Amino acid sequence: MTSPPLMERKKDVLSPLPDSYSPQYVEAAWYSWWEKQGYFKPEYGRKSISEPNPRGVFMMCIPPPNVTGSLHLGHALTNAIQDCLTRWHRMRGETTLWNPGCDHAGIATQVVVEKKLMRERGLSRHDLGRDQFIQEVWKWKNEKGDRIYHQLKKLGSSLDWDRACFTMDPKLSYAVQEAFIRLHEDGVIYRSKRLVNWSCTLNSAISDIEVDKKELTGRTLLPVPGYKDKVEFGVLVSFSYKIEGSDEEVIVATTRIETMLGDSAVAVHPADPRYQHLKGKMVLHPFCDRKMPIVFDEFVDVNFGTGAVKITPAHDHNDYEVGNRHNLAFINILDENGLLINVPAPFLGMKRFEARKAVLQALKDRGHFKETKDNPMVVPVCSRSKDIVEPLLKPQWYVDCADMGKQAADSVREGRLKIIPDHHHKTWFNWLDNIRDWCISRQLWWGHRIPAYFVTVTDPSVTPGEDMDGHYWVSGRTEEEARDKAAKRFNVSTDKITLRQDEDVLDTWFSSGIFPFSIFGWPNETQDLSVFYPGTLLETGHDILFFWVARMVMMGLKLTGKLPFKEVYLHAVVRDAHGRKMSKSLGNVIDPLDVITGISLEGLYAQLQDSNLDPVEVEKAKQGQKSDYPTGIPECGTDALRFALCAYTSQGRDINMDVNRILGYRHFCNKLWNAVKFAMRTLGDNFVPSEKAQLCGEESVSDRWILSRLCTAVGLCNAGFQAYDFPAITTAIYNFWLYELCDVYLESVKPVFSRAEEDSGSQSQAEVCRQTLFTCLETGLLLLAPIMPFVGEELYQRLSRRRSQDGHPSIHVTPYPETEEFCWHSEDVDRQMEFVMTVVRTIRSLRADYNLTKTRADCYLQCIDSETMSLVELYSLQIQTLSLSQSIQPVPATGAVPEGCAVAIASDRCTVHLVLKGLIDLEKEVAKLTVKKGELEKQMDKLREKMEKSDYKEKVPVKVQDLDAEKLRQSQTELEKATEAIDNFKRMV
């Protein structure tokens, strides 16, 4: 067989294919070659990216993984889907860009580097100072930060690495600064003092969607960072406040008893008759001189508890609103570390949950305690630190999301933005229609420092404003610009202005929100921005629909006037084989590289030891690993992993990932390997493929059938890619290669090639077969390539090239098969072959029943009409070959068949008569079957006896009853078959 030119070829493709498929061999060198040849760049094959492409442009940016991250199966799923889509669009001839990037991950990265500093040098970030600490983070990033890029390459991700972006790169940092300043100048970003979600462990505010809601049914002890003992939650404590000037008291209840130190009122419902006489009255705080009003507010539920509610405006979201309505005091009792402030001794300086116990005891000592009872509740937990989130009153920067949220919701309502699957619409609308303003400041050092400055005016004629007055904050690209703005605002000279830049940094999701256009140089009008923005598609997990997707849509519309992409495809969550969410705490996280290269059970154990798991949890996780992977994880390879992930991705369903199924696709790769090896031997060294794939008119029925099936596979694959229906693609590819090409066509044409070797007159038919076979191999590999890029390339490089394909040195820049080119689908041929395969399966089943593993038998096919007779005659060679029969004899319905046949009905049109006489020892078979029949009858009698006992239905579990019933049904079927076979054999004798 002639080989493709050596130019731009991997060097070893001229050597023979190894005997069996090895992922390590196949995946060793292709990726670096693809990169070197520039196949992943949108410029490949074009004079310029701005040159109009009639095929269109496909652009997608990667959901930027955290710089601290390492690959898990969720990443592998994301990248398998994104890469096969990218490769499909590239093969379709579109100008294709998949843009890589990495997120600076403010909180996560700062925590990693702080721990490293403390572990290695015994230093905190405060010991170093801000500038030196940031240098340490950059040093860590430059040493460790590319790890995930190496892992993405291992997965075969065809990203344009020359365009890789880091969210702290100068280009992206400039865009972040510009976005903040524009939104601040428009009044969309503003500063306000209000309650934020505070993590005492992180010493930072976090957003609503970084708070996990942990539901408790009652009293529960939970671990809290910084506390040796677990802390009690899910308990409602009732206590009393004395009414000033009387012996009367008001009973209130709370699940956070320590917050009563910050109470500034008691609230009751205006219509509650129990408390009308307390209008204008005050209650006395038991631990200080504070007098607190009784306020009347409709938010109070008269049916809950006593109908009286303690109000802590500085530490509760509902109470905050009440405090604003009634002009109450906002008393902050917690500092940023969770220690008590602004409280009397002995509570001053206590840790918040130690104060919880102390306050309860003090209430008991003073006679104010009433009762404690279980209380179902939701506890807010920081998703990053697992700390209990505290509502804390802090000045922060906010994004007004009302208008942007409406525009984002309307873009989906009006069909301008498509979200797939559409069952996510409900969640999208629910969140955006009720969106709250976004707190974007974080009390960190690592990240984009907020380009805002607090202004102090030294001119005595100007009255300085308070810190919270937005007029006294200016934003600027430089300090000089901010100073000029401030001087203009107050109508003073710049030397009268003193500035202090905000210490905080922006929420990481702010820079991620502008990622689709910041990567192309926005706000500058670059060529990349004009060609690739808006993008085509955003593919990601549904778990960051609001973290990232909604914010990109809002920011894109606001800052560029355009949607950042036309479609959003949301894939499902990857779970383990038992349906559990993958979690480090469960020890069930699978590293895809371990699936690709394989790992021993001891290796898995070692990874657990390196984790931060509690020893008890490590032991539990070990047991799980031993159960799931008793001999470790075998080497499966990248292609098998990608194929499995795509095969699993049913829209809207979570994915239970079973490594055994991935191994099954490694065996599929081996089947492909062997099929191509056989085909290349069959094609021969001197084979020359026709100029293009087409029918010559001389094709046999087998040729026409396999080309019809190939045409169907092409249609299913293209439709699957367009609809993001990945299981449809993998099923079409798997069925074509395994069940149609290998199991049927290759077997059915073997006699054609055998005859050609013996008879020169059969050469022309064999040549037609070779052309058909080549078309199937070439097209089948092209269909496969986006999902299995390595084995696809390896096998494709071994094939000859059609002259029309000479300009395509790699499979990944060769046109993907399209339905218009492959118009050979024939319903008639498909229907005929379906009948043939029904007959073949019936004959095979009979052969198995009578243990004819090596012996070939004559077979008579009794046909109901002349049309069926003609069909059997036409396909007799295929039926004979595929059923391993000695001969196939079609006979009419009234025709005679020999004695001594086993009989089975293939369809309402055809009955199979398999000649057994002379092939088997009938008496021996009868004796063997008689023994088997007796054993089956004994088993059934025993089972019936068990099931007929009087207490069977009450005592035996339903599952066991179902199993018993199924066993009885199976035994009955086997008994009937044995009896029928015995009768048949006796008739033959």
Side-chain angles (χ1 to χ4, degrees):
M1 177 163 46
T2 57
S3 298
L6 278 174
M7 180 188 72
E8 297 188 336
R9 288 267 315 274
K10 186 182 164 203
K11 62 185 178 186
D12 66 347
V13 293
L14 294 179
S15 62
L17 274 175
D19 286 341
S20 60
Y21 166 73
S22 159
Q24 197 174 350
Y25 170 82
V26 170
E27 294 164 16
W30 285 120
Y31 194 91
S32 56
W33 181 71
W34 293 328
E35 258 196 289
K36 188 179 176 186
Q37 301 306 319
Y39 298 147
F40 302 162
K41 302 184 74 57
E43 294 89 349
Y44 179 80
R46 311 196 67 73
K47 293 174 188 172
S48 159
I49 56 168
S50 57
E51 175 194 353
N53 183 348
R55 284 288 199 163
V57 174
F58 175 79
M59 186 274 154
M60 176 172 59
C61 59
I62 197 171
N66 286 352
V67 70
T68 57
S70 61
L71 220 56
H72 54 68
L73 275 182
H75 285 117
L77 173 66
T78 303
N79 284 279
I81 290 171
Q82 290 180 16
D83 189 51
C84 70
L85 283 168
T86 301
R87 289 178 184 270
W88 178 67
H89 282 281
R90 188 181 290 124
M91 291 172 75
R92 281 164 59 87
E94 298 166 39
T95 301
T96 302
L97 172 61
W98 183 19
N99 207 107
C102 196
D103 192 276
H104 66 277
I107 291 173
T109 305
Q110 181 160 313
V111 167
V112 165
V113 178
E114 281 192 271
K115 283 182 177 177
K116 183 175 183 284
L117 275 172
M118 185 56 67
R119 185 174 62 248
E120 294 177 1
R121 293 159 61 184
L123 296 173
S124 73
R125 64 185 162 110
H126 300 285
D127 294 328
L128 290 181
R130 185 169 190 146
D131 290 344
Q132 205 175 333
F133 175 73
I134 288 172
Q135 284 178 23
E136 288 292 326
V137 181
W138 275 109
K139 183 180 169 189
W140 178 89
K141 188 267 173 189
N142 293 330
E143 287 174 3
K144 308 284 187 183
D146 286 344
R147 175 179 52 174
I148 203 152
Y149 283 174
H150 296 308
Q151 292 176 312
L152 289 170
K153 290 178 180 183
K154 193 76 180 163
L155 273 173
S157 302
S158 60
L159 295 142
D160 181 0
W161 292 108
D162 289 340
R163 282 184 166 84
C165 293
F166 180 52
T167 49
M168 290 286 285
D169 285 344
K171 178 173 74 172
L172 276 71
S173 295
Y174 177 73
V176 169
Q177 181 189 64
E178 188 68 23
F180 182 94
I181 292 165
R182 289 190 185 188
L183 294 173
H184 184 230
E185 288 175 345
D186 285 352
V188 174
I189 288 180
Y190 64 95
R191 191 166 172 84
S192 177
K193 186 175 185 179
R194 59 178 71 169
L195 286 180
V196 297
N197 300 308
W198 188 263
S199 168
C200 298
T201 299
L202 299 174
N203 272 153
S204 179
I206 58 174
S207 68
D208 289 346
I209 48 182
E210 289 170 299
V211 178
D212 295 333
K213 311 288 188 188
K214 189 171 183 69
E215 293 190 19
L216 308 180
T217 54
R219 182 177 182 271
T220 308
L221 295 175
L222 297 177
V224 178
Y227 290 83
K228 185 181 175 185
D229 298 326
K230 290 185 176 181
V231 178
E232 181 182 72
F233 294 90
V235 168
L236 191 68
V237 178
S238 298
F239 69 99
S240 64
Y241 278 125
K242 298 285 184 186
I243 306 292
E244 183 188 24
S246 80
D247 293 332
E248 196 176 349
E249 62 183 14
V250 176
I251 297 172
V252 293
T254 179
T255 56
R256 299 160 66 216
I257 191 64
E258 68 280 6
T259 63
M260 64 83 61
L261 295 169
D263 283 358
S264 59
V266 170
V268 296
H269 195 279
D272 193 332
R274 293 171 290 182
Y275 299 110
Q276 296 301 313
H277 66 292
L278 296 181
K279 278 184 181 169
K281 300 281 188 181
M282 309 286 275
V283 297
L284 302 173
H285 200 287
F287 303 134
C288 56
D289 296 334
R290 193 182 309 149
K291 293 179 181 179
M292 304 181 296
I294 295 173
V295 299
F296 288 75
D297 196 293
E298 291 186 346
F299 107 96
V300 179
D301 180 357
V302 293
N303 297 313
F304 182 77
T306 61
V309 182
K310 64 184 278 300
I311 303 296
T312 322
H315 292 282
D316 181 273
H317 290 286
N318 288 325
D319 295 4
Y320 176 83
E321 304 293 341
V322 176
N324 280 331
R325 284 196 291 271
H326 297 278
N327 200 25
L328 300 174
F330 284 70
I331 304 162
N332 182 21
I333 63 162
L334 281 181
D335 72 3
E336 294 178 349
N337 298 304
L339 302 177
L340 266 59
I341 55 174
N342 302 324
V343 296
F347 311 115
L348 188 63
M350 276 189 181
K351 292 169 78 171
R352 55 190 163 145
F353 294 124
E354 287 173 1
R356 176 170 290 189
K357 295 177 185 175
V359 169
L360 183 60
Q361 188 57 50
L363 286 169
K364 289 177 179 177
D365 294 344
R366 299 201 180 193
H368 288 266
F369 172 77
K370 296 299 176 185
E371 67 169 351
T372 299
K373 63 179 181 180
D374 276 16
N375 182 65
M377 64 179 292
V378 175
V379 175
V381 178
C382 171
S383 62
R384 296 188 181 277
S385 67
K386 306 308 173 192
D387 197 359
I388 305 301
V389 173
E390 293 290 343
L392 203 61
L393 203 56
K394 301 282 289 183
Q396 301 283 291
W397 292 97
Y398 288 87
V399 176
D400 181 345
C401 294
D403 183 55
M404 291 197 297
K406 182 181 184 305
Q407 286 189 52
D410 288 347
S411 67
V412 174
R413 280 196 177 97
E414 294 162 9
R416 287 177 286 119
L417 176 65
K418 194 173 178 184
I419 296 179
I420 306 160
D422 60 11
H423 65 249
H424 292 292
H425 285 189
K426 186 179 177 184
T427 324
W428 178 264
F429 295 137
N430 188 47
W431 193 73
L432 287 171
D433 291 345
N434 301 285
I435 195 167
R436 294 167 68 173
D437 287 358
W438 172 19
C439 174
I440 55 168
S441 41
R442 297 289 180 268
Q443 290 64 50
L444 304 169
W445 286 357
W446 173 243
H448 296 104
R449 192 165 173 184
I450 292 174
Y453 300 81
F454 183 65
V455 180
T456 303
V457 185
T458 56
D459 189 323
S461 66
V462 178
T463 307
E466 291 191 14
D467 189 274
M468 285 307 95
D469 187 339
H471 291 135
Y472 294 91
W473 283 92
V474 291
S475 54
R477 292 158 189 84
T478 62
E479 191 168 328
E480 289 69 31
E481 182 185 335
R483 195 180 306 282
D484 289 341
K485 278 187 184 179
K488 204 173 283 182
R489 164 70 184 83
F490 294 108
N491 196 26
V492 296
S493 60
T494 53
D495 62 332
K496 302 289 185 186
I497 298 293
T498 304
L499 299 177
R500 172 176 56 82
Q501 187 176 359
D502 196 326
E503 292 286 323
D504 291 351
V505 300
L506 286 163
D507 177 10
T508 303
W509 294 103
F510 187 90
S511 49
S512 299
I514 65 170
F515 192 75
F517 46 95
S518 67
I519 59 176
F520 297 126
W522 180 92
N524 300 317
E525 289 295 331
T526 65
Q527 185 185 53
D528 276 2
L529 190 67
S530 65
V531 173
F532 296 120
Y533 185 83
T536 312
L537 172 71
L538 187 278
E539 194 285 333
T540 189
H542 65 74
D543 50 334
I544 55 171
L545 186 61
F546 306 123
F547 275 109
W548 191 41
V549 182
R551 285 167 176 172
M552 281 189 290
V553 173
M554 291 193 297
M555 301 278 266
L557 287 169
K558 182 67 182 174
L559 292 168
T560 72
K562 298 172 184 174
L563 286 163
F565 26 74
K566 302 177 186 75
E567 292 184 331
V568 177
Y569 173 70
L570 300 168
H571 64 247
V573 172
V574 181
R575 299 180 179 274
D576 69 10
H578 310 289
R580 299 175 304 171
K581 190 169 182 179
M582 290 200 174
S583 157
K584 287 179 183 174
S585 61
L586 288 173
N588 65 341
V589 174
I590 300 174
D591 182 338
L593 299 191
D594 290 339
V595 179
I596 291 168
T597 60
I599 187 171
S600 66
L601 184 59
E602 291 71 26
L604 291 170
Y605 285 170
Q607 290 177 356
L608 285 176
Q609 296 298 348
D610 292 339
S611 69
N612 294 319
L613 284 181
D614 178 270
V616 177
E617 296 298 325
V618 167
E619 208 44 51
K620 260 197 235 171
K622 274 187 173 183
Q623 292 305 316
Q625 287 180 339
K626 189 175 181 181
S627 169
D628 288 347
Y629 318 114
T631 57
I633 298 174
E635 178 195 29
C636 295
T638 299
D639 286 321
L641 174 60
R642 288 168 58 117
F643 200 88
L645 288 164
C646 291
Y648 268 100
T649 310
S650 298
Q651 288 184 9
R653 293 183 191 164
D654 285 353
I655 297 165
N656 293 358
M657 182 51 70
D658 183 353
V659 172
N660 288 325
R661 187 161 164 190
I662 304 172
L663 187 60
Y665 291 122
R666 186 201 189 285
H667 297 149
F668 172 58
C669 289
N670 197 53
K671 191 82 174 175
L672 293 173
W673 193 265
N674 291 334
V676 173
K677 268 181 78 75
F678 165 79
M680 286 174 67
R681 281 200 308 272
T682 304
L683 294 175
D685 292 338
N686 300 317
F687 173 74
V688 178
S690 58
E691 180 135 354
K692 61 179 186 175
Q694 58 187 5
L695 294 179
C696 68
E698 301 296 321
E699 285 80 9
S700 69
V701 288
S702 291
D703 296 329
R704 292 205 311 274
W705 173 76
I706 195 63
L707 291 173
S708 177
R709 300 316 303 148
L710 179 62
C711 182
T712 299
V714 168
L716 288 171
C717 287
N718 280 294
F721 275 118
Q722 280 160 353
Y724 308 113
D725 187 350
F726 299 98
I729 303 165
T730 54
T731 301
I733 291 168
Y734 193 86
N735 286 351
F736 173 75
W737 273 97
L738 205 61
Y739 300 132
E740 294 166 351
L741 183 65
C742 292
D743 286 359
V744 178
Y745 182 71
L746 290 183
E747 293 301 321
S748 66
V749 296
K750 281 178 182 177
V752 176
F753 294 119
S754 297
R755 277 205 304 269
E757 288 175 10
E758 298 163 7
D759 174 16
S760 57
S762 303
Q763 289 288 350
S764 61
Q765 186 58 52
E767 180 56 26
V768 172
C769 265
R770 286 191 184 93
Q771 293 294 342
T772 299
L773 178 55
F774 180 84
T775 296
C776 289
L777 294 178
E778 179 192 53
T779 311
L781 289 172
L782 287 166
L783 293 177
L784 179 84
I787 297 178
M788 286 183 158
F790 293 101
V791 74
E793 184 76 275
E794 181 75 36
L795 295 174
Y796 182 77
Q797 292 290 356
R798 308 286 178 152
L799 296 181
S800 302
R801 293 280 195 278
R802 299 184 194 277
R803 272 197 297 172
S804 58
Q805 302 286 31
D806 276 351
H808 305 299
S810 164
I811 194 170
H812 297 293
V813 290
T814 302
Y816 197 81
E818 297 196 17
T819 315
E820 297 75 29
E821 304 167 50
F822 294 84
C823 48
W824 312 318
H825 180 238
S826 167
E827 287 187 14
D828 285 345
V829 171
D830 282 356
R831 198 165 41 248
Q832 289 170 6
M833 198 64 177
E834 195 177 323
F835 165 77
V836 166
M837 290 311 297
T838 303
V839 173
V840 168
R841 282 190 290 271
T842 306
I843 298 170
R844 285 178 176 174
S845 178
L846 277 176
R847 287 174 55 81
D849 286 347
Y850 297 107
N851 203 26
L852 295 178
T853 50
K854 295 178 182 175
T855 311
R856 291 176 179 263
D858 293 319
C859 188
Y860 289 79
L861 301 181
Q862 203 164 32
C863 304
I864 196 168
D865 52 33
S866 59
E867 186 184 342
T868 309
M869 280 276 288
S870 301
L871 195 57
V872 168
E873 286 166 356
L874 181 65
Y875 283 94
S876 61
L877 179 60
Q878 285 79 9
I879 296 171
Q880 180 183 340
T881 305
L882 295 171
S883 67
L884 299 174
S885 296
Q886 182 67 28
S887 68
I888 296 295
Q889 308 290 337
V891 292
T894 54
V897 293
E899 291 290 323
C901 289
V903 183
I905 295 170
S907 75
D908 57 351
R909 300 161 59 197
C910 179
T911 302
V912 173
H913 298 262
L914 189 70
V915 179
L916 298 179
K917 203 166 187 177
L919 297 180
I920 60 174
D921 186 331
L922 297 176
E923 290 181 357
K924 189 176 174 184
E925 288 297 323
V926 169
K928 194 162 67 176
L929 285 168
T930 304
V931 171
K932 184 180 179 182
K933 183 181 173 187
E935 287 172 354
L936 283 168
E937 285 170 341
K938 277 182 194 172
Q939 286 174 18
M940 290 170 69
D941 288 343
K942 197 173 177 183
L943 201 52
R944 283 196 193 98
E945 188 182 335
K946 174 188 172 184
M947 294 169 72
E948 285 167 4
K949 284 184 179 174
S950 57
D951 56 355
Y952 175 78
K953 295 232 178 259
E954 290 74 33
K955 287 190 174 178
V956 177
V958 175
K959 278 188 179 178
V960 177
Q961 291 185 37
D962 291 342
L963 283 171
D964 288 345
E966 182 56 29
K967 276 183 198 168
L968 193 61
R969 275 194 296 275
Q970 286 178 358
S971 297
Q972 182 63 42
T973 304
E974 284 184 51
L975 183 67
E976 286 168 3
K977 285 182 100 174
T979 305
E980 187 182 340
I982 289 168
D983 292 344
N984 197 24
F985 283 142
K986 284 180 177 176
R987 278 198 301 275
M988 291 184 201
V989 174

